[in-house]
Amino acid sequence: MRILLVEDELEMASWLMRGLKQGSLVPDHAPDAATAEALIARTDYDVVVLDLRLPDRHGLDLLGELREQGWRTPVLVLTAQGSVQDRVRGLKVGADDFLTKPFALEELEARLAALVRRSRAHAHQPLQCGSLSFDPDSGAFLLGGRVVALTPREHAALSALVARGGTPLAKVQLASKVFPQQSQAGPDAIELVLHRLRRKLAGSDVRIITIRGLGYMLEAVANAPADS
């Protein structure tokens, strides 16, 4: 399980990183919001642990902006004793769970495992965009009821786009899902993959669009011609 810990108190962060690693988890640490954003842009985390009192930005401001961009990774927020206002605001901007300081490491690990289980259960529901459907259990894409023949990289790219549910996916995030970290693919290699996908979706009611400054998005087109 890949975890991002966003915590500026170095003593607390060091304790948590040691404990999480001993629990066979794979944690990364961000001491501020800017570092967290950079890590999230290039890494697909299973869950995030977010402290609120960060040196460069309030944690809920960061979370709210990420949720507006369509980011869906589960987030557990660390709160101070009795911080009802933080909890209320956190729920409004998209927090999934809260844990009050001080806490036991065992409780944190149990809550994180529960969040990931719920997230994965939701992810295994069939996904749909127009006449394009994807069943994560079988891994098959159907377009107008017929199986779409895809290369592994095309499949990875289309899976990432359909999972976003009609919200943009940044170029660097999409590339990280299509190409392994050791790949020598250049920054524009994802464009070739998307070009091939667009050709395979041509004539259907589904298209891949580019949103300047935000990335790529899968979109259902009303009154499009039926796939022939």
Side-chain angles (χ1 to χ4, degrees):
M1 185 164 63
R2 194 73 183 264
I3 298 170
L4 176 61
L5 170 65
V6 188
E7 169 64 67
D8 68 314
E9 296 180 14
L10 296 184
E11 186 175 347
M12 166 72 79
S14 178
W15 171 68
L16 285 173
M17 291 290 286
R18 287 197 305 270
L20 293 170
K21 288 178 181 177
Q22 289 173 359
S24 300
L25 305 176
V26 183
D28 289 334
H29 173 230
D32 51 47
T35 304
E37 284 186 293
L39 288 171
I40 287 169
R42 63 175 184 262
T43 308
D44 192 11
Y45 290 103
D46 294 299
V47 65
V48 171
V49 179
L50 176 65
D51 190 38
L52 298 184
R53 306 300 190 259
L54 301 175
D56 55 344
R57 197 172 178 189
H58 194 280
L60 293 183
D61 291 336
L62 171 64
L63 176 57
E65 181 177 305
L66 290 170
R67 291 298 192 225
E68 288 178 0
Q69 295 172 3
W71 183 72
R72 297 183 175 184
T73 301
V75 174
L76 182 145
V77 172
L78 300 179
T79 64
Q81 194 78 23
S83 56
V84 177
Q85 290 182 337
D86 283 341
R87 288 173 179 264
V88 171
R89 186 183 169 203
L91 289 171
K92 289 181 178 179
V93 300
D96 298 279
D97 197 4
F98 300 86
L99 189 58
T100 302
K101 296 179 179 180
F103 54 84
L105 185 61
E106 293 79 5
E107 182 179 3
L108 173 63
E109 292 177 339
R111 286 174 178 262
L112 293 178
L115 285 177
V116 172
R117 282 197 304 271
R118 290 200 296 269
S119 174
R120 289 176 178 172
H122 176 75
H124 280 274
Q125 299 173 2
L127 301 173
Q128 187 91 24
C129 181
S131 62
L132 178 72
S133 62
F134 173 59
D135 185 349
D137 291 323
S138 67
F141 274 100
L142 299 177
L143 184 61
R146 289 179 290 177
V147 175
V148 185
L150 300 169
T151 67
R153 287 177 176 174
E154 291 167 359
H155 190 284
L158 196 55
S159 298
L161 289 169
V162 76
R164 296 290 287 192
T167 55
L169 180 62
K171 183 176 183 178
V172 66
Q173 289 181 305
L174 182 57
S176 71
K177 295 175 183 294
V178 175
F179 302 102
Q181 290 186 351
Q182 67 272 21
S183 172
Q184 299 301 311
D188 294 325
I190 191 65
E191 298 285 355
L192 179 59
V193 176
L194 292 176
H195 173 71
R196 294 198 300 259
L197 276 176
R198 286 181 170 119
R199 291 182 62 181
K200 292 183 178 182
L201 295 173
S204 74
D205 63 344
V206 181
R207 65 182 181 180
I208 299 170
I209 63 173
T210 302
I211 302 178
R212 189 176 298 275
L214 294 178
Y216 306 99
M217 186 176 78
L218 201 62
E219 179 183 64
V221 184
N223 301 320
D227 188 27
S228 57

